[in-house]
Structure formats: C-alpha cells, structure tokens
Amino acid sequence: LVAYSIGNATAGRGAPASAPFALRPGDDIVVTEAEHHANLIPWQELAARTGAVLRHIPVRDDGTLDLDAAASIIGERTRVVAFSHVSNVLGIVNPVTEIVALAKAVGALTVMDACQSAPHLALDLPALGVDLAAFSGHKMLGPYGVGALYGRTEVLEALPPFLTGGSMVTTVTLDEAGFLPAPQKFEGGTQPVSQAIGLAAAARYLDAIGMDAVHAHERVIGRRLLTGLDAIDGVRVLGDPGADVDRIGLASFDVAGVHAHDVGQFLDSRGIAVRVGHHCAKPLHARFGLTASVRASASVFTTDDDIDRFLDAVSGVRAYFGAEGATA
Ligand SMILES: Cc1ncc(COP(=O)(O)O)c(C=O)c1O
C-alpha cells in the first residue's frame, strides 16, 4: 500500500500534499538484506517505476544488521528506509531506534514491517518513532487476508490513495471525486469485515495474556531452542545463536548433508510442524550460502517439553538419512 501510494505521489488528486513523497531518478530507497519479499519487491517495483535506486543494509555473519554500513548507505539521497522490526528467518529484533535516527537525520520516511514483532512483543510504534508500520493478521493468531497499517497522522494525510473505489469518497460527480481522510481514503471498496472481526479477537486474546508476558515466555523458550540446536552435531543455526541481541522464539537452521525439505518431512512424520524453504527471504538465504533452511517457530502456547521433543527429533535426522559424515 505504502509503496503504491508513494508511486502515486503528485499523480491524481491530493497532489500538492503528496509532492514531498515523490521519488525521482537519483533518489535512494534503502532496505535491508534480511527483508521478507513482502518488504522488498514493492520497493524494487517502485524503484523501477520512478528511477530511484534500491540500496540495502547488509547483514553481518552473526545475523545482526551492519549499522556502520547503514550509516554510510543512508545519506542525503535517501528518501525511504524500509526495514523489518524482526526478521522472519533470524528472529532477531532489529535496532529500530538507531535506524530511525539515521533516517530522520536525512529526512527520509521510515516504513517498518512489523509482521514478526506485532505477534511476539509489546509494540509502541509512536515511541519507536517510525512514520509507517504494517503487520498481518495471520501472523498473530488471526485470519488470513487482513492486516493493519499504522501511520503518523500527517504522513497518512499527505499520502495519496493507492486504490480507488466506493466508500472512500466525500462526493462524486461524473468528472471527479473527493476523498475522505485516512484511513477511509486507503480503503476503497468493500472491506474484509469478517477478517477484521477475527483480527480484533486475536488482538484481544493476545492483549489478555499481555504482550510483555508473551515476549518473556518466548525469550526463555527461544533460548532453549537456540542452545539446543547449537549443541547438535551438523546443525548450523543461521546467524550466531549466542549473539547479544533481543529475539523472538524462532530459529532457522541447516542440517549438513540433508535437504531442508527432507528434514521437514522427517519431523512431520513425528508430529512436528516446521517451515522449510527460503521463507520468502531468498536474498538472506543467499547471504548465508543456502537455498533453503528449516525454521522452528515458538509461540505463547509452546512448552519446554515441545522444544525438547523437537530437539530430540532433530538429533536423529542425520543418522536417519545416513548423512553423519557430511559437513555444512
Ligand atoms: C517479516 C514478514 N513480513 C511480511 C510478511 C508477509 O505478510 P503477508 O503475506 O500477509 O503480506 C511475512 C509473512 O508472511 C513476514 O514474516
């Protein structure tokens, strides 16, 4: 939505207010090497449409963002900095305050992908200082097909609509239409009402537990998961499991000599569900020399016993596939 809206800046109605967002050749859009394709491809397309250049903040071997590089990449040409709060592959909570400070110093718009933070930790978006942030219902125990966009009022007021239709207008003649203020101007057409009701129920469920409690539980479970995986021969966790960073309860790993899909099937046959593949983060997998990995994700309902059962099963993978001699 945001990338399309920026692409419409100066086009259509509301043009004067949106002019500051218009991109031109020579402008930079900055993302990170760890982005989910959902927060990468829209910017690639926007760059292609406007002539802006897409640049990225690299990921270090330990999985953290290279903030020294970020300080030289984010400069006076930078107009947008789009980054994930938490990587869906590494589970690492990124240093939002530092990234926002770099972006603010050059007047760039900050757009945060909160898909992996909204379900797992307490989000205070105004305190983080981002201009815009988005998250999806299906990542936070809610339904598919719905999500939320947060924005600072003056940014939402200035951005033009990205999709037009009914229910977003003040008045319409055969020649022109006037648009309602945000959020309605971004919600042309019939909205996914049932999904929105489901998302509200999911939010209430998580709120009742308390997001600080959710995060505290996941920190403990996640540490057990990372420490256990790191101790298994032939298992390589993406990023440094010992890195001094805040995390959600998630780990992606490679098993030497066994393809991720085989690991997934082996675990599935033991009643354990994991995600295998590139997790919509192909550039990050390329960064770690892989085409696929196995991802184990914990949540509020994951217990120590679940983790131990999982670790026990992973310990048996290489023997099962006769891959004990293989190296990573
Ligand atoms: C970090 C991150 N960003 C974006 C997405 C994409 O969300 P959606 O498929 O709802 O657009 C996901 C997961 O699907 C994700 O994990």
Side-chain angles (χ1 to χ4, degrees):
L1 189 163
V2 172
Y4 268 101
S5 177
I6 292 175
N8 279 350
T10 74
R13 295 174 215 292
S18 65
F21 297 108
L23 297 184
R24 294 171 195 82
D27 289 338
D28 284 351
I29 300 168
V30 175
V31 294
T32 83
E33 199 175 15
E35 293 314 306
H36 187 285
H37 299 164
N39 195 33
L40 173 63
I41 302 170
W43 303 114
Q44 292 174 345
E45 291 296 301
L46 182 63
R49 283 201 299 277
T50 58
V53 176
L54 186 65
R55 310 188 66 192
H56 70 264
I57 301 167
V59 168
R60 296 192 190 100
D61 286 344
D62 67 0
T64 60
L65 292 177
D66 187 338
L67 284 183
D68 296 335
S72 60
I73 289 163
I74 298 173
E76 59 185 24
R77 288 167 178 265
T78 309
R79 307 293 310 288
V80 177
V81 180
F83 61 96
S84 50
H85 191 182
V86 176
S87 157
N88 67 312
V89 175
L90 304 166
I92 293 176
V93 181
N94 285 323
V96 179
T97 313
E98 283 87 338
I99 298 169
V100 168
L102 290 172
K104 281 225 159 89
V106 296
L109 193 70
T110 47
V111 185
M112 191 173 82
D113 174 352
C115 281
Q116 291 290 343
S117 51
H120 302 289
L121 49 84
L123 255 193
D124 185 345
L125 293 168
L128 288 174
V130 290
D131 293 311
L132 297 148
F135 56 87
S136 298
H138 66 104
K139 296 278 152 188
M140 49 175 286
L141 315 178
Y144 290 98
V146 68
L149 173 69
Y150 156 92
R152 291 199 301 112
T153 307
E154 57 269 39
V155 174
L156 293 177
E157 274 171 358
L159 281 173
F162 80 111
L163 190 69
T164 49
S167 307
M168 60 176 295
V169 291
T170 48
T171 173
V172 186
T173 67
L174 279 178
D175 296 318
E176 59 182 11
F179 302 131
L180 286 165
Q184 283 89 349
K185 73 174 171 185
F186 297 115
E187 297 184 337
T190 304
Q191 296 304 298
V193 176
S194 13
Q195 290 93 323
I197 292 168
L199 177 55
R204 275 196 297 273
Y205 175 85
L206 285 170
D207 259 352
I209 298 168
M211 292 312 295
D212 284 328
V214 170
H215 195 188
H217 173 73
E218 284 195 27
R219 277 197 188 109
V220 175
I221 287 279
R223 180 45 49 209
R224 194 179 189 94
L225 177 65
L226 280 170
T227 311
L229 279 173
D230 199 32
I232 301 174
D233 252 6
V235 166
R236 172 167 71 113
V237 175
L238 273 67
D240 176 1
D244 182 21
V245 287
D246 196 9
R247 298 175 186 267
I248 62 168
L250 174 161
S252 296
F253 60 98
D254 176 55
V255 179
V258 186
H259 192 275
H261 286 77
D262 287 334
V263 178
Q265 198 167 14
F266 174 88
L267 295 174
D268 183 49
S269 71
R270 282 149 182 80
I272 298 169
V274 290
R275 166 89 190 258
V276 293
H278 51 60
H279 321 310
C280 295
K282 273 178 89 79
L284 183 61
H285 278 76
R287 161 70 182 80
F288 285 105
L290 296 170
T291 53
S293 66
V294 183
R295 183 181 68 189
S297 314
S299 188
V300 271
F301 41 75
T302 311
T303 62
D304 284 354
D305 187 50
D306 292 333
I307 298 294
D308 293 347
R309 226 159 46 80
F310 164 78
L311 293 171
D312 188 50
V314 174
S315 304
V317 167
R318 294 176 86 217
Y320 181 84
F321 287 100
E324 282 147 309
T327 50

